[in-house]
Amino acid sequence: MKKKAAPVTVDLFEQAVERLVALGKDADVSDQLMAGLSRPKAMLYASLPVRLDDGSTEYFDAFRCHYSQLLGPSKGGIRFHPDVNRSEVQALALWMTIKCALVGLPFGGGKGGVTVDPKALSRMELERLSRAYMRAMVDFVGPDKDIPAPDVQTNERIMGWMRDEYEVINGEQQPGVITGKPITLGGSLGRTEATGRGAFLCTEFLRNKEGKAAEDLTVAVQGFGNAGYHIARLLQEAGYRVVAVSDSKGGVFAEAGLDVEGVWEEKQATRLLKAVYCDGSVCETTDHDNITNAELLALPVDILVPAAMENTINADNVKAVKADWIVEVANGPISMEADLLLCEAGKVVIPDVLANSGGVIVSYFEWVQNRSGYPWSLDEVREKLEAKLSTAFEEVWQTQHQREQISLRSAAYSIALTHLDGVLRAKGTKEFFRNGT
Ligand code: NAD
């Protein structure tokens, strides 16, 4: 089997630190915090030998990063993707640190990944790879140390295999070692939809602030995977017109609005979004066009939802973006340069650390349920998610409005950094030891 080499065209981690330092200037925090947050606490690399179905052995690069544990154990997903590399894992772990601090979770930031195209593996090869990952990381993770979860191209079944491997090695039940598990293996109701639901709630909070009617707003979603599907579905149910969705192979557009549920069901059956409108029954009910991802990003819609990968909106294509609101469901979908240009153009960006935090919030709920041995109802999960996000959104909104000319991202970072700095100050920083303050 041929493994695609990871293209290292941009150093995502360098960019993430550069952005952290720039945004940190709006926050009155200690130099010690900024120095500490400019590097990961610990990083583990492992080469995973996996027996393939033809009897040969392939070696896969695997990473796990503890970025910060100032607020609690590290928390962050595991990505299976051909482009996974150390720099990407560290950047994603840094963003998890900011996210957990912003929404008030007792977690630090972490992340993990394997450089692999999981679609090229058989189901049994995928299971062997998932178990090999946990075997390599078994001393690095744990319910009080570092708690992984799903991310791009990993899912609840993979989380279930990893929980099982951890328990086989340690000889005890530890459901809280990983979140995003199947319900029957200790998962939480509402976890699968949580990232999309959280982003939907943030969009609703913004809509209420701006006094717009859902029926007047059109939406395009780039990246129709787990998170992208759930936000599209919920927006449509609330009355928004979802006119375009795409995946890595291309997209579909319908001026009158797509049947989101129908597109999703067809995609599950065919695994190919383009096939939906070319061959599926939805073809007969809705006029549509096939579009490229570049065309989707430039559509004259009100709301653009990048829900796929990093740096999707960058210096090369930012001028083409027409949407007034951008909801960052993906992590880091807008490059720093593009972000500044969008800000100057008066666009409103709900930043990733807020917009996609629903996933880690419900992962936290899952961990709490696992530790107390008391599962919650779906209503309870949804109510608590909404309460947490509403508080976080309001705080970000108020901070932005109190300080002139800062973005929602800048406000979000400022709140998160202040929270993290509080922990350092409680332990004593230079100011305390030198001046007694
Ligand atoms: P997923 O694997 O379920 O879906 C990703 C989708 O993006 C797929 O449909 C894929 O075809 C599409 N895609 C990939 N490359 C693309 C490209 N170049 N152009 C267009 N589409 C492309 O992954 P997911 O869990 O939905 O995650 C999506 C994003 O949301 C990632 O950035 C992830 O880090 C972020 N996120 C996910 C969660 C979660 O709980 N799953 C939580 C927070 C953030």
Side-chain angles (χ1 to χ4, degrees):
M1 186 187 316
K2 226 171 151 224
K3 197 164 44 156
K4 199 179 132 198
V8 190
T9 44
V10 286
D11 191 318
L12 205 62
F13 180 59
E14 266 179 30
Q15 285 184 357
V17 172
E18 199 186 326
R19 179 179 270 179
L20 171 81
V21 171
L23 294 171
K25 295 202 173 109
D26 284 330
D28 180 23
V29 294
S30 64
D31 293 344
Q32 187 184 334
L33 179 75
M34 296 311 286
L37 287 185
S38 299
R39 68 207 79 202
K41 181 177 190 299
M43 180 79 186
L44 186 63
Y45 164 81
S47 168
L48 309 181
V50 176
R51 174 92 56 206
L52 303 183
D53 292 343
D54 67 1
S56 64
T57 296
E58 175 111 24
Y59 293 85
F60 297 93
D61 291 333
F63 307 89
R64 185 78 199 160
C65 176
H66 295 174
Y67 202 84
S68 162
Q69 293 183 336
L70 272 178
L71 297 177
S74 314
K75 183 90 191 78
I78 300 169
R79 179 174 291 196
F80 283 0
H81 194 277
D83 294 345
V84 163
N85 58 65
R86 170 186 286 264
S87 167
E88 182 188 62
V89 171
Q90 290 183 178
L92 290 162
L94 163 54
W95 295 331
M96 282 303 296
T97 305
I98 300 296
K99 197 183 305 179
C100 291
L102 171 66
V103 295
L105 302 182
F107 289 141
K111 203 78 185 186
V114 180
T115 314
V116 59
D117 176 7
K119 291 182 199 149
L121 299 181
S122 72
R123 288 181 180 183
M124 283 168 65
E125 288 167 342
L126 190 61
E127 185 194 2
R128 288 196 285 270
L129 175 73
S130 306
R131 289 183 180 277
Y133 183 84
M134 185 48 92
R135 273 199 303 282
M137 304 294 162
V138 75
D139 293 329
F140 206 55
V141 301
D144 291 309
K145 222 187 264 181
D146 175 24
I147 307 130
D151 191 66
V152 173
Q153 294 187 145
T154 54
N155 56 26
E156 55 176 38
R157 188 180 295 275
I158 292 172
M159 298 303 110
W161 287 331
M162 289 188 179
R163 171 189 165 180
D164 188 58
E165 192 66 22
Y166 183 85
E167 292 177 342
V168 166
I169 295 168
N170 287 301
E172 59 183 17
Q173 296 278 317
Q174 281 290 5
V177 67
I178 203 158
T179 58
K181 303 178 291 291
I183 305 297
T184 48
L185 293 178
S188 174
L189 293 169
R191 173 62 185 89
T192 308
E193 65 165 24
T195 304
R197 177 171 289 275
F200 159 71
L201 289 168
C202 288
T203 314
E204 280 287 88
F205 299 147
L206 176 63
R207 182 177 71 74
N208 286 326
K209 294 282 184 201
E210 300 283 359
K212 305 248 182 193
E215 289 68 23
D216 295 339
L217 296 169
T218 53
V219 184
V221 178
Q222 193 243 12
F224 197 54
N226 173 290
Y229 157 62
H230 284 291
I231 185 177
R233 172 181 69 80
L234 291 163
L235 287 172
Q236 185 167 65
E237 281 170 21
Y240 297 71
R241 187 151 48 97
V242 179
V243 297
V245 298
S246 70
D247 62 16
S248 56
K249 303 270 181 352
V252 288
F253 169 77
E255 182 71 51
L258 296 161
D259 166 12
V260 171
E261 202 57 47
V263 176
W264 181 249
E265 276 167 24
E266 283 292 329
K267 181 173 155 74
Q268 297 313 297
T270 60
R271 309 300 308 159
L272 192 62
L273 189 57
K274 268 188 159 173
V276 175
Y277 279 88
C278 305
D279 309 325
S281 58
V282 195
C283 266
E284 287 125 44
T285 54
T286 318
D287 280 336
H288 71 277
D289 290 310
N290 288 339
I291 54 170
T292 63
N293 270 290
E295 286 166 344
L296 181 142
L297 296 174
L299 284 174
V301 288
D302 300 297
I303 307 174
L304 180 61
V305 182
M309 304 299 281
E310 302 87 30
N311 285 338
T312 300
I313 300 171
N314 50 53
D316 295 336
N317 62 8
V318 63
K319 294 223 167 88
V321 172
K322 297 182 188 68
D324 287 331
W325 300 351
I326 301 170
V327 182
E328 287 190 323
V329 167
N331 285 303
I334 303 178
S335 75
M336 193 170 156
E337 203 178 343
D339 204 25
L340 294 173
L341 292 170
L342 290 170
C343 223
E344 276 169 28
K347 313 275 186 194
V348 179
V349 177
I350 307 183
D352 50 3
V353 289
L354 178 62
N356 71 28
S357 64
V360 70
I361 292 174
V362 177
S363 270
Y364 164 60
F365 294 164
E366 181 174 329
W367 181 77
V368 170
Q369 292 170 70
N370 291 155
R371 291 167 79 89
S372 64
Y374 189 75
W376 304 352
S377 69
L378 182 58
D379 283 349
E380 211 172 341
V381 169
R382 286 180 177 167
E383 272 164 33
K384 287 188 160 78
L385 171 65
E386 183 160 354
K388 236 183 183 341
L389 267 175
S390 154
T391 306
F393 185 92
E394 196 56 37
E395 201 180 352
V396 171
W397 186 263
Q398 293 306 334
T399 303
Q400 188 214 20
H401 282 72
Q402 279 155 15
R403 303 189 204 165
E404 272 171 34
Q405 293 191 327
I406 68 165
S407 61
L408 289 174
R409 191 188 314 279
S410 190
Y413 269 65
S414 183
I415 294 163
L417 291 172
T418 304
H419 188 26
L420 286 158
D421 202 39
V423 177
L424 281 188
R425 286 188 194 277
K427 293 178 180 172
T429 56
K430 180 180 167 192
E431 289 71 32
F432 171 76
F433 290 109
R434 290 288 298 272
N435 311 321
T437 54

